[in-house]
Amino acid sequence: ECTKSAFKIKVFIKKLLDISRIESGKVVLASDKGIIDYIVEESVESAVVDKSKVIVDYGDAIKRDMYADEGWLVEAFVNIISNSYEYICDREDGRVYIDISSNNEVCMIKISDNGDGIDKEHLAYIFDRFEGKSSQDEFHAGIGLNLSKLIIEAHHGSVSVNNNEDGMGVSFRIIIPKYNMKRKAK
């Protein structure tokens, strides 16, 4: 139990330091050629215990190239996927759905779940720092989604969240330009 708590504290501090480094401009993102499908797969591996509860839809294309900092994007996706997974993991029918699509300019990743959704008044602040769950248990300080937003925006992308229209769960929509980081590196 002590080791588990120490690990959570270490992760919490790392995330706070990452936020500070990104906001202060100390982080220089890599602009390596990568494949968004593999970045999502790696994120799922790191984010969830029961992989059968995560369904990834690659659409009609696979191996979509993009230029990004893979390590930082994995961090961003892990935070969002694990957040969704947390709301459904205790349910027999709980699922996280990830849809990946792209066009010539951007990659679009939709991460949704079939949990209870989020109160409307809380939804507007979900990416704000320290706006996590109302309970103080398990180090839910509300920094993971804030860090994800900073990382995605550093990739010239955007992230938004809404409750699903059927009233079951939430959907995060991430849009990241495929080649912005390549142009920036030149």
Side-chain angles (χ1 to χ4, degrees):
E1 191 60 40
C2 280
T3 305
K4 191 175 171 185
S5 292
F7 178 75
K8 286 181 180 178
I9 291 169
K10 182 179 173 186
V11 169
F12 175 80
I13 291 170
K14 182 195 177 300
K15 285 182 181 179
L16 274 178
L17 290 171
D18 286 346
I19 288 169
S20 177
R21 289 173 50 223
I22 290 172
E23 286 186 334
S24 68
K26 299 273 194 268
V27 172
V28 177
L29 295 177
S31 56
D32 300 326
K33 187 173 183 179
I35 297 172
I36 191 67
D37 307 66
Y38 297 159
I39 293 170
V40 170
E41 284 174 21
E42 189 179 333
S43 302
V44 170
E45 281 294 316
S46 300
V48 303
V49 177
D50 183 356
K51 313 283 184 292
S52 71
K53 289 188 173 286
V54 179
I55 296 150
V56 182
D57 181 355
Y58 296 97
D60 55 2
I62 53 166
K63 298 184 173 68
R64 285 165 270 250
D65 291 347
M66 71 179 305
Y67 287 82
D69 190 309
E70 186 173 330
W72 281 107
L73 270 191
V74 167
E75 173 82 22
F77 294 162
V78 163
N79 289 331
I80 295 170
I81 294 166
S82 60
N83 187 77
S84 292
Y85 179 75
E86 197 173 308
Y87 285 94
I88 60 92
C89 65
D90 293 334
R91 296 176 176 213
E92 186 70 34
D93 66 339
R95 296 291 179 271
V96 174
Y97 302 95
I98 303 174
D99 297 311
I100 308 169
S101 59
S102 64
N103 60 30
N104 290 337
E105 296 294 318
V106 298
C107 287
M108 295 154 285
I109 301 95
K110 179 181 168 192
I111 301 167
S112 55
D113 64 66
N114 61 351
D116 292 332
I118 299 170
D119 294 336
K120 277 196 169 126
E121 60 273 7
H122 182 65
L123 207 54
Y125 305 104
I126 195 163
F127 294 110
D128 291 357
R129 196 165 314 142
F130 307 122
E131 283 292 332
K133 291 181 177 176
S134 55
S135 66
Q136 293 296 319
D137 66 322
E138 298 291 314
F139 295 100
H140 289 294
I143 59 171
L145 293 178
N146 178 250
L147 177 58
S148 293
K149 185 174 192 277
L150 290 172
I151 293 167
I152 291 163
E153 288 176 348
H155 281 85
H156 308 283
S158 64
V159 59
S160 61
V161 64
N162 286 297
N163 282 312
N164 295 329
E165 288 181 18
D166 63 4
M168 297 294 292
V170 300
S171 293
F172 289 86
R173 285 183 174 74
I174 302 160
I175 299 173
I176 302 173
K178 293 167 81 173
Y179 304 112
N180 248 29
M181 299 299 279
K182 180 182 180 184
R183 287 193 283 265
K184 187 180 159 206
K186 287 185 175 182

